[in-house]
Amino acid sequence: FLIDKDSEIPEDLKGENIIRTPVERIICLSTSHIAFMDVLGELDKITAVSGGEYITHPEIRKGLAEGRITDVGYGTNLNYEEIIRQKPDVVMVYGVDSEITGFLNKFSDLGIPAVLNAEFLESNPLGKAEWIRFTGALFQKELLADSLFYGIQQRYLKLKTVSGGKQNKPAVMMGLPYRDSWWVPGGDSYMAMLIADAGGMYLGRNNSSRESFVISFEEALSWASRADIWLNVGMAVRKDEILALDSRFSRFGVFNKGRLYNNNKRSTEAGGNDFWESGTIAPDRVLEDLIRIFHPGLLPSGSMYYYQEVR
């Protein structure tokens, strides 16, 4: 529930998990939460984060280095004693499957208000960005949040109109194996939608899942023979780094004759990637990058923001 600070708590709500707004102290358990806070101008309200080494925002990284912001751990290793010491007005939570219930129940037991920001469940790029409205409500900035989302939506749809009518759609494959399993986005996933909206033909589009699925190396080899573009190749910035993982990639047609791009242009040495941070609230900027990759020359001259070519 969101109520004004000076409001009386109704009798039927006493004992419930009540959030008094505007929030003054917040703990963010996902890097994407930082992006929402940033565009709302509320970074100074963040007192603690989770997985600080993966954060790319310079102001938050500076706060961690200076001790003004605390890292409370990650996943099952959350430091609940530190969270209690922080006395947050609210903890913004995310999780996967049963993790979500576990987090929320734990915070409820501790008497700490917690809210679930479920943008990570959205498969639609604009659906992810629209969670700015949810975050804005915590700070009584609903009008600002609506305005921000409207701008993002308009820019995204305009770009989609520019690229959507292209007939020559390049074939796109994605990813690299991780621990011997090659996970790729489902055909109804966030990345699949971005590729389609940018005028690309994702080779995994026939799988109707919103979740990732595993393909065999043989299937990847088949895709590689048809692909014009290979995206999101792990942490690689050079082709020789891909071959160092598995020399068989030298047999991939797309490796030899296609173009390779990675979404790690804005990343940290520790593995933080701004694509998954600010990119959550900037699907229009991600879409622009992909259009520049798929259809060079279609947009006015400019450089890519999240993506870089792997040579």
Side-chain angles (χ1 to χ4, degrees):
F1 302 95
L2 301 176
I3 60 176
D4 293 334
K5 280 188 170 182
D6 297 329
S7 298
E8 291 294 327
I9 300 175
E11 286 297 324
D12 60 339
L13 294 184
K14 286 185 178 179
E16 298 291 335
N17 194 24
I18 296 174
I19 301 169
R20 299 176 181 272
T21 59
V23 168
E24 295 294 335
R25 296 174 60 83
I26 186 170
I27 295 177
C28 296
L29 298 188
S30 171
T31 58
S32 62
H33 299 165
I34 294 168
F36 291 115
M37 299 287 290
D38 188 17
V39 297
L40 288 168
E42 299 289 349
L43 282 180
D44 62 312
K45 303 300 186 350
I46 298 176
T47 64
V49 296
S50 174
E53 68 270 27
Y54 298 114
I55 292 171
T56 64
H57 197 291
E59 190 169 332
I60 300 300
R61 291 174 64 85
K62 182 180 179 182
L64 286 164
E66 295 176 350
R68 291 182 287 104
I69 298 175
T70 304
D71 189 335
V72 294
Y74 186 81
T76 57
N77 295 317
L78 281 179
N79 186 338
Y80 289 101
E81 290 185 0
E82 177 59 27
I83 291 173
I84 293 170
R85 192 190 69 79
Q86 289 281 326
K87 297 181 180 179
D89 294 322
V90 64
V91 178
M92 195 179 296
V93 178
Y94 89 104
V96 180
D97 299 327
S98 60
E99 276 189 349
I100 301 172
T101 303
F103 287 145
L104 294 177
N105 287 342
K106 181 67 174 180
F107 288 126
S108 178
D109 291 343
L110 294 173
I112 298 173
V115 294
L116 175 65
N117 185 329
E119 57 79 18
F120 64 96
L121 295 176
E122 300 280 358
S123 60
N124 188 300
L126 288 175
K128 282 182 175 286
E130 192 171 13
W131 279 82
I132 187 64
R133 287 172 161 166
F134 167 83
T135 311
L138 299 176
F139 303 94
Q140 295 182 336
K141 288 189 171 182
E142 293 92 340
L143 292 179
L144 173 60
D146 286 348
S147 176
L148 288 168
F149 176 70
Y150 179 77
I152 294 165
Q153 182 182 51
Q154 292 302 107
R155 289 190 295 273
Y156 188 98
L157 295 177
K158 183 178 180 180
L159 286 165
K160 180 180 175 180
T161 300
V162 169
S163 60
K166 300 295 290 184
Q167 298 300 312
N168 57 328
K169 298 181 185 295
V172 181
M173 67 176 292
M174 295 193 65
L176 279 176
Y178 178 71
R179 294 181 179 175
D180 298 324
S181 295
W182 195 312
W183 291 90
V184 295
D188 195 27
S189 67
Y190 168 74
M191 280 304 306
M193 289 189 181
L194 279 166
I195 290 170
D197 289 347
M201 183 183 69
Y202 175 46
L203 292 173
R205 67 192 183 283
N206 292 330
N207 179 291
S208 60
S209 175
R210 300 171 67 177
E211 307 295 331
S212 295
F213 65 101
V214 175
I215 60 173
S216 66
F217 190 90
E218 289 71 26
E219 190 170 5
L221 184 61
S222 174
W223 285 15
S225 69
R226 292 178 284 152
D228 303 298
I229 294 169
W230 189 359
L231 291 181
N232 297 13
V233 285
M235 299 293 291
V237 295
R238 301 187 313 274
K239 281 187 170 183
D240 60 358
E241 293 175 333
I242 297 175
L243 291 180
L245 295 174
D246 194 323
S247 62
R248 291 179 295 174
F249 293 136
S250 64
R251 295 156 47 191
F252 279 19
V254 69
F255 182 87
N256 295 301
K257 299 179 181 179
R259 293 180 291 137
L260 283 64
Y261 292 87
N262 214 349
N263 61 350
N264 60 353
K265 185 176 181 179
R266 298 171 58 82
S267 58
T268 66
E269 291 183 2
N273 189 338
D274 194 36
F275 179 88
W276 302 111
E277 190 171 313
S278 73
T280 301
I281 193 64
D284 51 327
R285 187 174 278 168
V286 176
L287 187 63
E288 182 177 333
D289 275 7
L290 292 176
I291 293 173
R292 292 188 185 281
I293 292 170
F294 299 164
H295 303 287
L298 184 61
L299 297 178
S301 60
S303 59
M304 291 182 289
Y305 192 79
Y306 296 108
Y307 277 87
Q308 58 185 340
E309 187 167 7
V310 178
R311 300 177 183 274

